[in-house]
Amino acid sequence: MVATCNVLNLAQPGRHFYDGQEPYSTTEFERKTGWLGERFRALNADVIAVQEVWDEQALRAAVARSGLQYGTVAVPGAENGPGQIGAQGTPRVGIVTRLKVESLESLHHFPPAAVVQVPGLGPHTRFERPPLVATLRLKHGQPLCVITAHLKSKRPKFLEDASGKVSEDTADPAVQALGSLRSLIMRASEALALRLKVVELLHRTRLPLVLMGDLNDSPHSVTTQLIAATSQVAYDKGARDNALFSAWDVQGESALRRDVAYSHIHQGYPEVLDQVLVSEEFVATSRGAIGDVRRVEVFNDHLFEGRDRSRSDHGFVRALLRLQLPDAPLAAPTAGV
């Protein structure tokens, strides 16, 4: 069972994280970690990909409130301890898992092929929120790669002066359009850099891979397809080798699908921003399948409970995946993670 959760600015009480936003009081922090603990307990996932964490210690507190046992709670770049003061400038992504962790790698810099020029900003060379690549091992020995990602938002990117103050007229429609273009270019270059990593991991391998997180765009958007390249499969069956597929589209229990699968509401419009993408190893109809996606669920009822920063403004997505036991014949029953 895997899940992705944008936890909305999870930080320690009294800790400043964004200009214009008050730190959490102790009461607010207790309410937020308690709410998240309840959500984590309901999800009961073996792997949780988390986004918008400022303090790893705060995530540990929320996981503890769930009452569940997890061997690994990690948010690289947001650690707390001697000489460590949590994330700075922007929140980070992390992972919570019961599975054995063999390696964790944060992707900071783009490969040269993904570097682009952003109008007014110059070359865009690194992720604002570094994706986390985790190599995991299931209890029967099967490897699993999980990538947690949180791409650049659609919010306009305005130019700033040396002191960090916005130096453009944000009320000017032309400036707003240019700011949106900057954000799109930045998100697209992040998607390309992530795509290159996916190809590196999947090309001519049988590695089962799951990419989860807040991609800040819909499953069929250009930026999501930059990462997944699912549309290529229609023209080139060989493209399955390094394509990613929406877990929602390839799940086996089609009767459980719902028309309310959105994970975010923006100005009254439902959107699917939080996604679970899987490699062909989880696509039952693929010749390279060694598992499948049984079902996908979206936990979004709290989006109607009003705006309150103790809750998340994103729905949480959970997928039940299965992988065959080691050395099992292809037709044998698969085993749940």
Side-chain angles (χ1 to χ4, degrees):
M1 198 83 78
V2 301
T4 177
C5 305
N6 181 322
V7 296
L8 183 61
N9 291 323
L10 180 57
Q12 286 290 95
R15 187 255 224 265
H16 176 81
F17 47 91
Y18 276 138
D19 290 339
Q21 293 198 33
E22 291 293 321
Y24 294 116
S25 66
T26 300
T27 300
E28 282 184 303
F29 179 77
E30 289 297 318
R31 189 161 63 240
K32 187 173 183 71
T33 53
W35 183 86
L36 282 171
E38 291 175 358
R39 302 284 83 73
F40 292 158
R41 183 167 62 250
L43 291 168
N44 195 21
D46 298 285
V47 183
I48 306 175
V50 292
Q51 305 94 52
E52 290 202 19
V53 178
W54 290 93
D55 292 298
E56 184 179 279
Q57 188 174 343
L59 179 61
R60 291 181 179 276
V63 171
R65 295 289 293 272
S66 74
L68 302 176
Q69 298 297 314
Y70 286 98
T72 298
V73 178
V75 190
E79 298 93 343
N80 305 99
Q84 299 172 317
I85 56 174
Q88 299 298 305
T90 188
R92 301 296 288 266
V93 306
I95 189 169
V96 177
T97 183
R98 299 184 178 111
L99 304 182
K100 179 182 178 182
V101 177
E102 297 196 337
S103 68
L104 292 174
E105 176 193 9
S106 290
L107 305 179
H108 293 270
H109 297 279
F110 296 166
V115 175
V116 298
Q117 294 289 325
V118 180
L121 293 176
H124 189 40
T125 63
R126 57 184 293 144
F127 290 96
E128 285 201 340
R129 294 176 284 245
L132 181 62
V133 181
T135 303
L136 309 177
R137 189 72 60 173
L138 276 65
K139 64 182 180 180
H140 294 293
Q142 308 99 314
L144 176 68
C145 182
V146 174
I147 301 178
T148 305
H150 188 185
L151 297 191
K152 179 74 179 72
S153 73
K154 297 178 183 178
R155 188 178 300 111
K157 179 71 174 180
F158 297 118
L159 299 182
E160 299 177 350
D161 59 23
S163 66
K165 296 184 66 175
V166 174
S167 58
E168 296 182 291
D169 180 5
T170 59
D172 184 336
V175 171
Q176 294 171 358
L178 183 55
S180 294
L181 175 64
R182 291 189 190 110
S183 290
L184 174 59
I185 293 173
M186 294 170 72
R187 187 168 65 259
S189 60
E190 289 183 347
L192 175 57
L194 201 48
R195 172 65 186 162
L196 296 177
K197 185 63 177 181
V198 168
V199 171
E200 175 190 322
L201 291 167
L202 293 184
H203 187 55
R204 296 180 179 176
T205 73
R206 297 293 298 278
L207 176 67
L209 184 147
V210 182
L211 189 152
M212 298 187 284
D214 178 1
L215 302 187
N216 265 312
D217 222 334
S218 64
H220 300 290
S221 67
V222 171
T223 52
T224 299
Q225 282 304 307
L226 266 174
I227 302 169
T230 312
S231 58
Q232 305 270 352
V233 173
Y235 309 100
D236 177 12
K237 296 303 181 184
R240 283 180 174 268
D241 175 58
N242 50 52
L244 295 178
F245 302 81
S246 170
W248 187 263
D249 292 337
V250 299
Q251 63 179 312
E253 297 180 3
S254 57
L256 293 178
R257 295 183 184 180
R258 299 187 299 168
D259 293 330
V260 290
Y262 52 86
S263 67
H264 186 65
I265 300 175
H266 179 65
Q267 296 181 352
Y269 292 93
E271 302 177 308
V272 178
L273 303 182
D274 305 85
Q275 301 181 44
V276 177
L277 305 177
V278 299
S279 62
E280 73 162 337
E281 284 71 23
F282 290 108
V283 180
T285 57
S286 173
R287 292 178 62 183
I290 56 176
D292 63 1
V293 179
R294 294 303 296 159
R295 66 176 181 270
V296 181
E297 301 158 282
V298 181
F299 294 71
N300 59 11
D301 289 347
H302 62 270
L303 299 181
F304 299 98
E305 296 174 2
R307 293 301 294 261
D308 180 343
R309 63 180 186 166
S310 67
R311 297 187 290 267
S312 176
D313 58 346
H314 285 248
F316 298 160
V317 183
R318 181 177 73 178
L320 174 59
L321 313 178
R322 302 195 299 179
L323 275 175
Q324 290 178 346
L325 291 171
D327 303 320
L330 200 59
T334 51
V337 297

